[in-house]
Amino acid sequence: MFQLTELPLSDNTSRRSAEAFLLSQGLRLEASLDIFLVALRDDEIVACGGMTENVLKCLAVREDERGEGLLTLIVSRLISIAAERGYSETLLFTKPQYRRQFEDLGYTIEAEAPKAVLMTSNPLRMMTLKKDIENFRRQSLAGFKEQESAPRSGVIVMNADPPTLGHKALISYAVDRCDMLFIFLTCNPSSFLPEDQRDEIVLSMAESIKQEKGRDLNVMIVNDPFTLSADTFPTYFIKECSEVAETEMRLNLDLFRRVHIPFTRAAVRFVGSEPFDPLTRRYNELMRELLPIEIDELPRVGGISASAVRRRPLLPVAHTVSWKAFSALISKYLREALLAELDLTPKPGLVDKLDSGAHADMNYNTMLHGIEAISNSPIITLSTFFYSRLSCRMTFEQRKEHIKRNLNALIEETLSATSGVNTHKGFIFAAMCVVVGLGLKAANDTEHYIGPVTPEGLQKAIKEAAAYASADPASHGTRACKRYKTGGALAMAQSGYEPLFSHWLPLWRQTHDEHRLLLTIMSQLDDTCLLHRGGKKALTWAKQQAREALEDLSPERLARMNEAFVCRGLSPGGSADMFALTRFIDKLV
């Protein structure tokens, strides 16, 4: 008898066992597997299979065990797990010589290449897409008179993650050259921007292009589940990297030939040229070789690359993305910075994954609600655009009043999301200084746009924004500043967050040690949250605790520190804000 069980690949011993078995079958362990099943006989692996999302991978049965139904058993179990995850189908890649085995299990061919085939358990799934495209074509054709020539359909397939002005240029090029345009956007489980945001930005691009050109063109945006991505494509049975890339491209194009062209009746596919990347250049060559339609290639717009936007800080490449994409990226980086602070565990006196620290009125979920309110609010994500375009028409006092209203409105939005609990008031003020400062900088530029910004330029922009701000006399921080004659949030902003740029940001980039960053900030910052809760003695004590903890960053030391802060009712909220702001600015410059 055998036993079917999940093998935890996070365990080194289990991983080595999986690797050894697959190697004996001429395969490699796929790095992206999120589940891996094995059939054991006498504690030895005799068959296995894994899955990423809904893509079956690393299926193998030892030769002397074939014919025992082990493959059917493993595939059936993986299909059940996929159904539990909400997937109505599973995909798998295999060598061409094994396609018959999987056809016997109910899979059908979806795409073929010399070294691999892609198979699906649900060939009817594409009928939904076909019906949607047919409805779109029918509505589009209603606008053409019978005597006119048949409308020319064009297709663009793009990842657009995130959308750049290069993608906009390609759409603009296509709009001039066809009567009906289908823009297929790849589906990618690990996308940089959420797919709904990406789709909305691309649709907005297309609509603005149509208006600029005065073209009554029908454009359909399609989330394309049929285009392969690096998340799904396997490397476990193809040995050479060059063969992996070639096979993936050929499968991709065979899928396009089988699905996209018949559904859209496309006459032309629009692509951007690639003078630098040899893989993309080879992909364009294969398109001409394998696809039975025209390939219209637009020379790449110089210096614009979505991969560069993903890899680099935002501000040096901000001029390559649209305003909506810029706002979506600001939202993304705000959320990531705030989540990094919240998830850092353990922390002294602050809310984290283990406890609520010294806070009786909030917990992890309360903080999450605040984070979502901040990162999703158009008040902050669109502030840069507003101040770049409209603030140049305002007087100093008008700007000051408008910034104050926006700041208060965002605080009220957050308080509403947290049932009145003040989770992030200090961070909101700091983040508004950053985005408003960027807008004011752009307003002073001739093109009213975010050009490349240096750290020094960002500091200067923050100082300009802070000149329009004023302290809230009713806040605990302002009262603490007045009582103990120290600076506070406003003074920090007016300095352009000098210690952040001169010390905390370089420290983070050198170490990428989150606890060291937080404790360093605590050891240096005159945290008004601590002053409010415990006065100067509490602040001095907390700084000393942070300095001592920097000598011993063990989890035990940090846990004891948290207990001491909780016992004294102290929470270094200002330090937490500066931690999150450091992480946010790290993504900008």
Side-chain angles (χ1 to χ4, degrees), residues 23-247:
L23 186 62
S24 73
Q25 304 303 307
L27 302 176
R28 291 179 294 208
L29 183 65
E30 181 84 0
S32 63
L33 293 177
D34 49 41
I35 188 168
F36 189 71
L37 302 180
V38 294
L40 301 174
R41 193 188 299 278
D42 298 327
D43 293 327
E44 286 189 20
I45 299 176
V46 296
C48 68
M51 186 163 62
T52 303
E53 299 289 335
N54 66 327
V55 182
L56 277 55
K57 301 180 177 184
C58 297
L59 296 160
V61 180
R62 201 170 70 187
E63 188 172 2
D64 61 334
E65 297 285 351
R66 293 170 189 170
E68 299 295 321
L70 291 178
L71 181 64
T72 301
L73 185 69
I74 288 173
V75 169
S76 298
R77 179 62 188 132
L78 290 171
I79 290 174
S80 296
I81 293 171
E84 292 168 5
R85 294 175 172 180
Y87 293 104
S88 60
E89 65 154 350
T90 55
L91 303 172
L92 65 84
F93 297 85
T94 189
K95 296 178 180 179
Q97 59 265 39
Y98 298 139
R99 60 180 286 182
R100 182 59 60 85
Q101 291 178 253
F102 293 103
E103 286 175 338
D104 291 342
L105 295 176
Y107 283 83
T108 58
I109 291 287
E110 197 157 88
E112 294 182 79
K115 293 185 179 293
V117 294
L118 170 63
M119 308 186 76
T120 177
S121 65
N122 181 16
L124 297 179
R125 67 175 178 137
M126 64 180 66
M127 291 302 104
T128 300
L129 175 64
K130 184 178 181 182
K131 185 179 295 186
D132 290 343
I133 290 176
E134 286 177 346
N135 288 338
F136 173 80
R137 282 186 56 83
R138 187 161 46 249
Q139 293 170 7
S140 300
L141 290 171
F144 286 86
K145 298 178 181 178
E146 290 186 7
Q147 66 269 24
E148 290 179 344
S149 58
R152 189 171 189 246
S153 295
V155 171
I156 298 174
V157 179
M158 59 174 63
N159 193 25
D161 189 26
T164 68
L165 298 182
H167 296 112
K168 185 175 182 179
L170 183 60
I171 296 170
S172 179
Y173 182 80
V175 163
D176 285 334
R177 289 163 176 79
C178 61
D179 305 299
M180 193 183 306
L181 180 61
F182 298 88
I183 302 176
F184 287 87
L185 298 171
T186 60
C187 293
N188 187 340
S190 60
S191 58
F192 188 70
L193 275 185
E195 288 180 355
D196 58 343
Q197 278 190 321
R198 186 263 323 255
D199 298 353
E200 194 276 331
I201 294 168
V202 173
L203 179 60
S204 174
M205 281 181 173
E207 292 300 321
S208 66
I209 289 167
K210 287 166 52 179
Q211 291 179 9
E212 289 167 7
K213 294 177 177 288
R215 289 223 57 195
D216 186 19
L217 176 77
N218 292 291
V219 178
M220 183 177 184
I221 307 291
V222 187
N223 279 116
D224 182 17
F226 306 101
T227 296
L228 309 183
S229 72
D231 285 338
T232 58
F233 191 79
T235 60
Y236 54 88
F237 61 79
I238 301 175
K239 303 303 181 187
E240 298 298 327
C241 289
S242 59
E243 291 182 337
V244 169
E246 182 83 6
T247 299

Side-chain angles (χ1 to χ4, degrees), residues 429-552:
F429 174 80
M432 283 292 286
C433 285
V434 173
V435 295
V436 169
L438 289 172
L440 295 173
K441 180 189 181 304
N444 294 328
D445 293 343
T446 55
E447 295 183 0
H448 302 287
Y449 209 79
I450 297 292
V453 180
T454 63
E456 296 76 17
L458 180 55
Q459 273 193 277
K460 183 178 178 182
I462 292 169
K463 290 178 183 179
E464 182 178 354
Y468 295 92
S470 56
D472 178 2
S475 73
H476 295 317
T478 301
R479 289 174 179 174
C481 290
K482 185 176 181 180
R483 179 176 180 183
Y484 297 105
K485 294 180 172 55
T486 184
L490 181 57
M492 281 288 286
Q494 289 171 340
S495 77
Y497 296 104
E498 196 281 328
L500 186 157
F501 284 92
S502 65
H503 190 54
W504 305 335
L505 184 59
L507 173 68
W508 167 247
R509 289 178 170 174
Q510 180 183 357
T511 66
H512 283 88
D513 186 325
E514 293 183 315
H515 277 110
R516 185 167 296 279
L517 174 61
L518 177 62
L519 291 169
T520 298
I521 294 171
M522 286 178 58
S523 71
Q524 298 173 357
L525 181 69
D526 287 342
D527 193 322
T528 54
C529 293
L530 292 171
L531 283 171
H532 165 69
R533 284 176 174 251
K536 279 194 173 182
K537 285 186 177 180
L539 177 62
T540 301
W541 175 83
K543 286 184 173 182
Q544 182 61 31
Q545 289 291 304
R547 284 192 289 270
E548 291 175 4
L550 284 168
E551 302 299 320
D552 173 21

Side-chain angles (χ1 to χ4, degrees), residues 5 15 114 136 155 181 220 225 247 276 307 353 391 423 426 444 559:
T5 185
R15 175 173 283 275
F136 173 80
V155 171
L181 180 61
M220 183 177 184
T247 299
F276 306 112
S307 61
K353 291 180 177 179
S391 70
T423 55
N444 294 328

Side-chain angles (χ1 to χ4, degrees), residues 262-273:
F263 287 6
T264 62
R265 303 179 198 178
V268 56
R269 176 167 171 174
F270 299 98
V271 300
S273 67

Side-chain angles (χ1 to χ4, degrees), residues 93 111-113 116 228 233 247-255:
F93 297 85
E112 294 182 79
L228 309 183
F233 191 79
T247 299
E248 180 181 2
M249 290 186 288
R250 286 181 176 274
L251 276 176
N252 196 307
L253 291 171
D254 190 56
L255 199 57

